[in-house]
């Protein structure tokens, strides 16, 4: 059905800001596509680029990582490390043949429920436009 | 072997209206890890929690997944349920099928599918979760308060009254801070010394408080509950134990050219001096830059006449290491030097003075014995202009911020002026009048309505000295739209509140942050104004931002409460979700230490190698180090790679 | 207090291009001769050029004509000095402001510089922006000690009221040699020559010339302002007022005469430019100072000055 064709998105959200922002989207009843799976980490600085790559290997169409706004990281500087690491990861992703737009890095604060819902919807749409035309790293493809 | 108990909550209709709860339970109960699955209307209720306890007791489950609201709501609730049955509280996890599923998905089929998927991941994750034990960090239950002003004194008294020991470290020879320099305080016009001195004496006599004056914090090692603080006491050349505070040394000292800081530079004092009459402790200090004996080996009169033989010219700086469990920073503020405002004379006009200097002039313990006179010729000023916002709200030259206290103390100054010179005329040049506290607005109205003070809305463009010794103030009245000039005998500038000149140095020693203006940064501007990002270090008073006396006292008490709460536990209980290093895998590159915001990773010897080690007391569990480690030698309990990958991997 | 960084950047060459001020040259030609004479005594040769015109800044600034016409006029004047590889010395707050401001403008905007140079190339010139432009205050302060050594007629016993004017200190708040509100450099130079300072409250007030007095002549705005300044200046009872700008000089000097003609007071304070004062103290022939061109007579000033000089001679005699 349509659900099969919907791009599968993994959203890795930091506990203090982005995850709370996603909760706020729920409390405010802002709807967004159902194809998103959220994983909580204590800080966006915890996000290892290998996690992003693994997600693509496991068949996700897109990965979204979100942390606190610069300057607001609960742990001080974690979000800066995340930004730098993932900027490099994006280049590597491109090198492997995955469209760099399939990784989305953003800042969402605990007060930005609406923004979270909008980011999810926009990312889904962007991935829909990319589907079929780009190689993913899905296990099935590598196996062949 | 993990045996997971799955509880799917209806949350009334919040979840059940969109998610087919029955289908969810039916689908999940067949998963290999699941030992028990059921639904219930309100898992967070008492009966709901009882279901969990019962399942642990009777169905032998050793892991729990509660599919309900966000873990930010009720995870602690369910952790307690596990703990009450003797199951490790870190073996429960929650699937967020309300805020992140039923509430954000329109189509019920999609919502149900998503819920099943989300819960399945949590089942896989919790199966890989290990029990964790809360960490007990032993604590030294002594507090250090840095700064002996009103905020620091209040914090010290509250902690001491709470039966804990306090060491109060003060840089200058006496405690009292800015408040000791004031004449009267707004809005009550209480004599400042009269209300302050009892607290100073109480602090000095309190059995739980040790005061260290002439001392500064030089180094801080350790972490919350276990700080090691190096305090340096400068050489004062007076034996504090022998001295009886008679003051005869001060009278006889031939050197009288030392700038008097307590009197805001208005006057001079002797090379050996007690800072002010009500000083606590009232023990004089020799200024080695001016003392003839110390510089030239001449004089020595004070030692000869001292009845207690308390002068010791071979005194040296001493260092002491204090072991404390919490630190309260209450280092206060200083008044801005108006030298940059050359349009107002740049501090060179003798009768154009600052707010603090005015305070000293009207003080009975001040250089004029409380007689208000012009510093230039001793004449009584018949016209005085008070200029607000000198250095505040002025991004172009000084500070963008508002110093918070000047509108109130200017109104106070006008009243003090009128009490001293009843036939004088006072003018206030203002931008706004900020009087937010209790009876503050009424206080300002009193100045205007009862004392006839003229408030003129406009900034002063320049001040020039006239031939006849008066000063011409060029300003404007924006409310009528006219330029105005006033010839005055004296001008009082409400000079901005600034952090102390060594504020940044101290911040680095303590490992706390400061903002662009140099004021110390609190953990959260709205909800955590007392804590800092460094566990165990608290803020109180004007060092955190300009504020008046009542607010400083409030913050002092708040900091005291925080310290007592910390010390109320036997040991410091820390979340076990912190990092740890496998030394066998670690190569000792210490890149993890580089990214750690809390300086919680150190080098350690491991056999013949050097490896990284996490200081558990300092680690806050963010995981930046884990993501950095190339060799995966460091891991984060509760958010290990295994656990996270289990959540990621199951993708339906 | 002078800004040390600016003082350090000031270069003293033994040849400087003297940029002749327009108002100065035609109303107070003594400025030119005084400067040339006293700088020679200090070992610095001032070079002038007949190719120079009015700086052109006024017209550019007020958009009297298209900037594409007026800015090349400014650039041409600078180019004249550049062709001689000489740094420029100005005697006027206005000249200094316009030459400096517009050279910065051209240096920061290559397209503008290119247009200007296209036009200049039609007359065989080029603006490079290679030379420094100094206000006389900057050069004089830097060689203050040399001046002091060369004083032959000390100003001892004479009181001077200073007037810096607006454009130099206020217009260059961060890069001028001294602070805009409480400057001391002019006072220091006068005191180095033995003079005494007469302080007055309105010393940093504008002279009142602006555009109105000179071009539009809306004297109902500027004349009362100048009168206010003069009244205040008179309280200090100076022997003379010292200025560093010919516009200020013209305003403060000639408006006293105008006020006297209209019966608005008895204004008699002679106004002298710093370069004339230095020339006087360094023993330059009084004729070369051109004091006869001033509206307010220097007779009393010179009489007092020479009597003080002869007293000294008698004492030292």
């Amino acid at each position: 059905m349509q659900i099969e064709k919907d791009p599968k998105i993994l959203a890795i959200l930091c506990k203090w800001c982005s995850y709370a922002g996603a909760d706020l989207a729920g409390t405010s009843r802002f709807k967004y596509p159902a194809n998103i799976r959220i994983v909580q980490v204590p800080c966006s600085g915890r996000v290892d680029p290998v996690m992003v790559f693994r997600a693509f290997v496991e068949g996700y169409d897109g990965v979204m990582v979100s942390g606190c706004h610069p300057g607001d990281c609960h742990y001080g500087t974690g979000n800066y490390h995340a930004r730098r690491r993932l900027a490099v990861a994006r280049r590597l992703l491109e090198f492997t043949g995955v469209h760099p737009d399939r990784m989305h890095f953003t800042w969402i604060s605990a007060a930005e429920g609406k923004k979270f819902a909008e980011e999810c919807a926009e990312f889904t749409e962007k991935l829909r436009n990319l589907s079929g035309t780009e190689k993913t790293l899905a296990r099935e493809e590598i196996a062949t | 072997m993990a045996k997971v108990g799955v509880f799917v909550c209806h949350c009334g209709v919040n979840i059940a209206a969109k998610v087919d709860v029955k289908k969810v339970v039916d689908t999940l109960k067949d998963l290999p890890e699941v030992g028990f699955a059921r639904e219930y209307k309100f898992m967070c209720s008492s009966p709901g929690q009882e279901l969990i306890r019962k399942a642990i007791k009777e169905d032998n489950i050793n892991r729990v997944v509660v599919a309900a609201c966000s873990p930010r709501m009720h995870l602690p609730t369910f952790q307690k349920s596990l703990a009450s049955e003797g199951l490790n509280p870190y073996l429960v996890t929650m699937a967020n099928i309300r805020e992140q599923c039923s509430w954000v998905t329109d189509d019920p089929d999609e919502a149900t599918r998503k819920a099943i998927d989300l819960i399945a991941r949590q089942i896989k994750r919790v199966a890989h979760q290990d029990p964790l034990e809360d960490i007990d960090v032993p604590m030294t239950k002594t507090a250090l308060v840095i700064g002996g002003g009103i905020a620091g004194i209040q914090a010290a008294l509250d902690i001491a009254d709470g039966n804990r020991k306090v060491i109060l470290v003060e840089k200058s020879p006496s405690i009292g801070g800015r408040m000791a320099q004031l004449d009267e305080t707004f809005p009550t016009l209480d004599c400042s010394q009269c209300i302050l001195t009892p607290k100073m004496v109480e602090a000095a006599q309190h059995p739980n408080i040790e005061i260290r004056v002439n001392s500064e914090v030089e180094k801080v090692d350790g972490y919350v509950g276990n700080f090691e603080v190096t305090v340096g006491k400068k050489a004062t050349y007076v034996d504090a134990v022998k001295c009886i505070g008679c003051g005869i040394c001060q009278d006889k000292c031939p050197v009288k050219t030392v700038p008097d800081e307590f009197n805001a530079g208005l006057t001079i004092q002797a090379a050996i001096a007690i800072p002010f009459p009500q000083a606590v402790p009232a023990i004089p200090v020799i200024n080695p830059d001016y003392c003839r004996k110390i510089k030239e080996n001449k004089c020595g009169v004070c030692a000869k006449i001292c009845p207690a033989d308390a002068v010791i010219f071979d005194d040296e700086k001493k260092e002491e290491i204090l072991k404390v469990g919490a630190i309260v920073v209450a280092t206060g503020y200083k008044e801005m030097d108006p030298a940059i405002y050359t349009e107002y004379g740049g501090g060179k006009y003798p009768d154009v003075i600052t707010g603090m200097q005015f305070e000293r002039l009207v003080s009975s313990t001040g250089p004029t014995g409380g007689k208000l006179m012009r510093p230039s010729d001793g004449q009584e000023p018949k016209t005085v202009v008070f200029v607000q916002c000198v250095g505040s709200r002025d991004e172009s030259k000084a500070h963008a911020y508002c110093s918070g206290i000047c509108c109130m103390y200017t109104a106070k100054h006008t009243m003090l002026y009128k009490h001293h010179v009843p036939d004088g005329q006072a003018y206030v040049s203002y931008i706004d009048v900020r009087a937010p506290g209790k009876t503050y607005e009424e206080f300002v109205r009193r100045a205007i309505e009862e004392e006839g003070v003229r408030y003129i809305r406009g900034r002063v463009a320049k001040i020039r000295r006239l031939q006849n010794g008066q000063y011409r103030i060029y300003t404007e009245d924006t409310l009528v739209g006219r330029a105005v000039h006033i010839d005055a005998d004296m001008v009082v500038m409400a000079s901005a509140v600034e952090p102390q000149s060594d504020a940044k140095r101290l911040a680095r020693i303590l490992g706390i942050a400061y903002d662009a203006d140099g004021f110390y940064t609190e953990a959260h501007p709205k909800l955590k104004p007392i804590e800092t990002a460094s566990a165990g270090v608290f803020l109180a008073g004007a060092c955190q931002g300009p504020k008046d006396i009542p607010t400083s006292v409030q913050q002092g008490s708040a900091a005291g409460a925080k310290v007592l709460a910390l010390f109320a536990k036997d040991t410091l209980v820390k979340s076990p979700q912190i990092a740890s290093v496998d030394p066998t895998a670690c190569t000792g590159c210490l890149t993890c230490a580089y990214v750690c915001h809390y300086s919680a990773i150190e080098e350690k010897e491991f056999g013949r190698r050097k490896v990284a080690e996490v200081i558990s007391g300092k680690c806050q569990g963010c995981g930046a180090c884990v993501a950095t480690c190339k060799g995966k030698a460091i891991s984060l309990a509760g958010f290990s790679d295994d656990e996270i990958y289990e959540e990621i991997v199951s993708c339906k | 207090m002078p800004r040390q960084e600016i003082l350090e950047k000031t270069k003293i060459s033994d040849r400087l291009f003297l940029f002749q001020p327009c108002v100065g040259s035609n109303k107070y030609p003594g400025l030119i001769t005084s400067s040339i004479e006293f700088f020679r005594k200090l070992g610095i040769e001032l070079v002038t050029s007949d190719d120079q015109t009015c700086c052109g800044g006024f017209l550019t600034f007020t958009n009297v004509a298209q900037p594409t016409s007026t800015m090349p006029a400014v650039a041409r004047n600078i180019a004249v000095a550049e062709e001689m590889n000489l740094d420029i010395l100005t005697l006027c707050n206005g000249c200094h402001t316009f030459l400096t401001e517009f050279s910065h403008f051209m240096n920061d905007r290559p397209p503008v510089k290119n247009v200007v140079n296209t036009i200049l190339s039609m007359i065989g010139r080029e603006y490079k922006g290679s030379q420094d432009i100094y206000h006389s205050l900057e050069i004089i302060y830097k060689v203050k000690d040399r001046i002091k050594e060369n004083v032959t007629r000390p100003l001892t016993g004479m009181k001077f009221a200073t007037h810096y004017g607006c454009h130099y200190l206020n217009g260059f708040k961060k890069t001028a040699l001294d602070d805009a509100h409480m400057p001391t450099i002019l006072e220091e130079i006068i005191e180095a020559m033995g003079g005494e300072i007469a302080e007055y409250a309105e010393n940093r007030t504008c002279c009142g010339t602006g555009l109105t007095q000179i071009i539009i002549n809306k004297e109902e705005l500027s004349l009362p302002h100048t009168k206010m300044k003069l009244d205040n200046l008179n309280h200090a009872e100076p022997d003379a007022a010292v200025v560093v700008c010919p516009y200020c000089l013209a305003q403060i000097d000639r408006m006293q005469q105008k006020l006297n003609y209209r019966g608005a007071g008895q204004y008699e304070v002679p106004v002298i430019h710093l370069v004339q004062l230095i020339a006087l103290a360094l023993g330059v022939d009084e004729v070369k100072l051109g004091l006869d061109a001033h509206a307010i007579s220097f007779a009393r000033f010179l009489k007092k000055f020479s009597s003080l000089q002869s007293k000294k001679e008698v004492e030292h005699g």
Side-chain angles (χ1 to χ4, degrees), chain A residues 23 37 46 48 60 85, chain B residues 70 117 121 628 632 641 648:
Chain A
D23 275 351
R37 302 288 177 265
R46 173 73 186 88
D48 191 338
Y60 286 89
R85 265 185 227 126
Chain B
S70 169
D117 194 14
R121 290 150 181 272
T628 301
K632 297 294 153 213
D641 278 349
I648 291 177

Side-chain angles (χ1 to χ4, degrees), chain B residues 538-582:
Chain B
F538 305 99
L539 302 174
C543 60
Q544 184 251 357
K547 54 179 62 75
D548 59 16
I549 293 168
T551 317
S552 299
V553 171
Q554 285 168 23
Q555 283 201 338
S557 286
K562 292 284 180 197
V563 170
L564 290 175
L566 187 64
F567 290 173
K569 307 171 182 48
D570 287 328
T571 54
L572 201 57
V573 173
K574 224 180 121 66
S575 159
Q577 293 180 325
I578 57 170
S580 61
V581 178
D582 173 3

